[in-house]
Amino acid sequence: QVQLVQSGGDMVQPGRSLRLSCVASGFTFSRYAMHWVRQAPGKGLEWVAVISYEGTIRYYEDSVKGRFIISRDNSKNTMYLQMNSLKGEDTAVYYCARGPGIAVADALDNWGQGTLVIVSS
Amino acid sequence: EIVMTQSPATLSVSPGERATLSCRASQSIDSNLAWYQQKPGQAPRLLIYAASTRATDIPARFSGTGSGTDFTLTISSLQSEDFVVYYCQHYNTLPPYTFGQGTKVEIK
């Protein structure tokens, strides 16, 4: 079955960096677009970034553009979110999620368990 | 950026009754809309995509309608496990693929 297992969440100081990972199994990872979505404590869902199945197309939400980098290694069935210059407002549970196919624009049919990032001094 | 607005923020319904949740897009998104359910402490789960197609293993009591800017999620007969939070999301062509702010369905 489809599984997305996340890691990398931690507490970090403002201005520091952190890298999240999402390891996929149960499907052909290289054939699917992948997304990051976050949820601040007690708040709603916020779409963060998407990467195409081959990694050549990447889009970001405005508040993270220039600070976050989405990437993937299809040989390792793994997607990453490199988060730089972290701010307090980046504090959230971060979810990785899969689209149902190669299209970047699509619903998210499978989700990771989430990993908590806390940005605080 | 397309803004997604859900209403109401909280919906009070008795078990066994029908719940109707609304989602409005700030511009036309055709049928490029998904609905998700989120239980406390869990990741969201896809319920509906393409505005009206149920995702795999989703019970028939969940249904979606709409196109363009106005969408509705209907839960025909609320079960105890349905009293949680629901989000809509557009995925119309270019990002950001924004979510609505959510509707919490609570027991009346």
Side-chain angles (χ1 to χ4, degrees), chain A residues 35 37 39 43-47 50 59-62 95 104-114, chain B residues 1 34 36 38 41-46 48-49 87 89 91-101:
Chain A
H35 300 246
V37 174
Q39 186 169 36
K43 302 297 184 182
L45 301 171
E46 180 181 36
W47 179 84
V50 61
Y59 293 113
Y60 300 91
E61 193 268 332
D62 282 351
Y95 295 100
V104 167
D106 218 327
L108 306 178
D109 66 351
N110 282 275
W111 294 66
Q113 83 277 18
Chain B
E1 173 177 321
Y36 302 89
Q38 188 177 33
Q42 294 187 18
R45 175 176 72 150
L46 178 65
I48 302 285
Y49 63 94
Y87 295 94
Q89 181 202 23
Y91 50 93
N92 190 60
T93 313
L94 290 177
Y97 302 126
T98 47
F99 290 87
Q101 77 278 23

Side-chain angles (χ1 to χ4, degrees), chain B residues 53-73:
Chain B
T53 303
R54 272 191 304 277
T56 304
D57 296 329
I58 300 303
R61 65 180 182 273
F62 293 93
S63 62
T65 59
S67 66
T69 60
D70 292 303
F71 302 87
T72 300
L73 174 70

Side-chain angles (χ1 to χ4, degrees), chain B residues 15-78:
Chain B
E17 292 192 342
R18 174 188 299 258
T20 302
L21 289 67
S22 295
C23 176
R24 175 167 289 179
S26 60
Q27 64 189 71
S28 177
I29 58 170
D30 295 327
S31 296
N32 297 311
L33 183 100
W35 288 96
Y36 302 89
Q37 177 192 65
Q38 188 177 33
K39 298 180 178 180
Q42 294 187 18
R45 175 176 72 150
L46 178 65
L47 296 176
I48 302 285
Y49 63 94
S52 61
T53 303
R54 272 191 304 277
T56 304
D57 296 329
I58 300 303
R61 65 180 182 273
F62 293 93
S63 62
T65 59
S67 66
T69 60
D70 292 303
F71 302 87
T72 300
L73 174 70
T74 301
I75 312 171
S76 60
S77 177
L78 280 161

Side-chain angles (χ1 to χ4, degrees), chain A:
Chain A
Q1 74 281 19
V2 174
Q3 274 200 308
L4 298 171
V5 178
Q6 300 181 229
S7 62
D10 203 349
M11 177 183 288
V12 296
Q13 294 179 329
R16 302 300 290 265
S17 298
L18 197 64
R19 188 177 81 161
L20 306 183
S21 299
C22 173
V23 178
S25 61
F27 65 101
T28 305
F29 180 70
S30 60
R31 295 182 183 174
Y32 291 84
M34 296 292 294
H35 300 246
W36 289 98
V37 174
R38 67 184 179 183
Q39 186 169 36
K43 302 297 184 182
L45 301 171
E46 180 181 36
W47 179 84
V48 173
V50 61
I51 187 167
S52 61
Y53 67 100
E54 82 278 50
T56 57
I57 299 172
R58 310 175 195 199
Y59 293 113
Y60 300 91
E61 193 268 332
D62 282 351
S63 70
V64 308
K65 209 173 291 184
R67 299 189 299 123
F68 289 12
I69 300 171
I70 188 172
S71 64
R72 66 191 295 160
D73 185 340
N74 286 344
S75 69
K76 296 181 178 179
N77 290 346
T78 303
M79 176 178 67
Y80 304 98
L81 186 67
Q82 177 67 42
M83 304 186 293
N84 302 320
S85 303
L86 281 161
K87 306 176 181 179
E89 51 264 42
D90 296 319
T91 295
V93 173
Y94 285 73
Y95 295 100
C96 63
R98 190 196 80 165
I102 63 170
V104 167
D106 218 327
L108 306 178
D109 66 351
N110 282 275
W111 294 66
Q113 83 277 18
T115 190
L116 178 61
V117 174
I118 299 173
V119 183
S120 174
S121 54

